[in-house]
Amino acid sequence: LPGACSLASDLLSAHSVVFLGPSRSGKSTIMRDAAAMLSRQFQVMVVDFAGALAGSTIDGMKHLEDADYTAPDKSTTQTDAILNVIDVHSPEVVIAEFAGPDDAIQAGRHCDAAGVRLICTVRSSASCLADSLARASAGVNCPGCRVFPFGAAVMLSRQDLDSWQVLPDARAAMCSMIIRRVNCHVHHNQKSPPGWPAVVRKRFAAEQPTYRS
């Protein structure tokens, strides 16, 4: 569906971005459209772990436009597959869908270290992603904002496909969510609540600021 990623086109062109949401919330459609859009300007590699990004017809592959495509062997871990893509193909952008937040964070950190942007989806919530970040941060004894590889995050809803909750500063948002588990002198200000500004983006509507805590 052309234009499926239009609500985040500015973020996709500048950051690694993670899309969070349940099944049937439009994640695969958004990834296919992102691959097509970004491939016009960058060298894009689509890493299709579950076969969902190719689409069910020939038109599905055509919709990826100039993006390269690979479907890793199921015996290969998702993290190893991303490392192999970086080593062999040297893409500027990797697009993938991950089974869980742990894999997404690990892969994102590898991409970040290699100077590669990762645009991906995870069937997860923001709180589950924060739990994974807390584990990753504790493992390397670093604040969450230094470990989290995504510059922005988008939360999708199955009930309203045209309304997205966007975290334009996902590092600060995720860091604030693990305030009691991993210390950060930048984002863990005890004098203010550990919330973060989120933005609701709607098709054909202006951005509306909201706040979560």
Side-chain angles (χ1 to χ4, degrees), residues 4 8 11 15-16 20 24 26 37 45 65-66 83 100 102 110-111 114 124 153 158 172 186 198 206 211-212:
L11 302 175
H15 304 281
S16 286
L20 308 171
R24 302 182 67 184
M37 182 191 78
M45 172 60 77
E65 294 196 12
D66 294 328
L83 282 170
D102 288 348
H110 289 308
C111 286
S124 176
R158 183 187 301 162
V186 176
Y211 294 88
R212 296 170 63 97

Side-chain angles (χ1 to χ4, degrees), residues 79-157:
T79 301
D80 285 344
I82 295 296
L83 282 170
N84 182 67
V85 163
I86 293 172
D87 183 53
V88 174
H89 300 281
S90 301
E92 295 176 278
V93 179
V94 169
I95 290 181
E97 294 193 295
F98 293 97
D102 288 348
D103 290 322
I105 288 177
Q106 289 180 25
R109 293 184 66 193
H110 289 308
C111 286
D112 192 45
V116 177
R117 278 188 287 131
L118 176 62
I119 311 298
C120 70
T121 68
V122 185
R123 188 184 297 181
S124 176
S125 63
S127 60
C128 289
L129 187 65
D131 288 340
S132 292
L133 177 60
R135 291 191 293 270
S137 300
V140 296
N141 195 28
C142 282
C145 53
R146 293 178 58 185
V147 176
F148 194 66
F150 301 101
V154 179
M155 292 169 288
L156 305 172
S157 169

Side-chain angles (χ1 to χ4, degrees), residues 120-199:
C120 70
T121 68
V122 185
R123 188 184 297 181
S124 176
S125 63
S127 60
C128 289
L129 187 65
D131 288 340
S132 292
L133 177 60
R135 291 191 293 270
S137 300
V140 296
N141 195 28
C142 282
C145 53
R146 293 178 58 185
V147 176
F148 194 66
F150 301 101
V154 179
M155 292 169 288
L156 305 172
S157 169
R158 183 187 301 162
Q159 286 72 33
D160 187 356
L161 299 179
D162 292 327
S163 180
W164 295 0
Q165 287 274 347
V166 178
L167 300 176
D169 187 353
R171 289 187 175 92
M174 290 293 113
C175 196
S176 73
M177 290 183 70
I178 59 175
I179 184 171
R180 294 178 179 85
R181 289 176 282 183
V182 184
N183 186 50
C184 173
H185 71 280
V186 176
H187 299 115
H188 294 180
N189 183 357
Q190 298 295 336
K191 295 180 181 179
S192 61
W196 66 86
V199 175

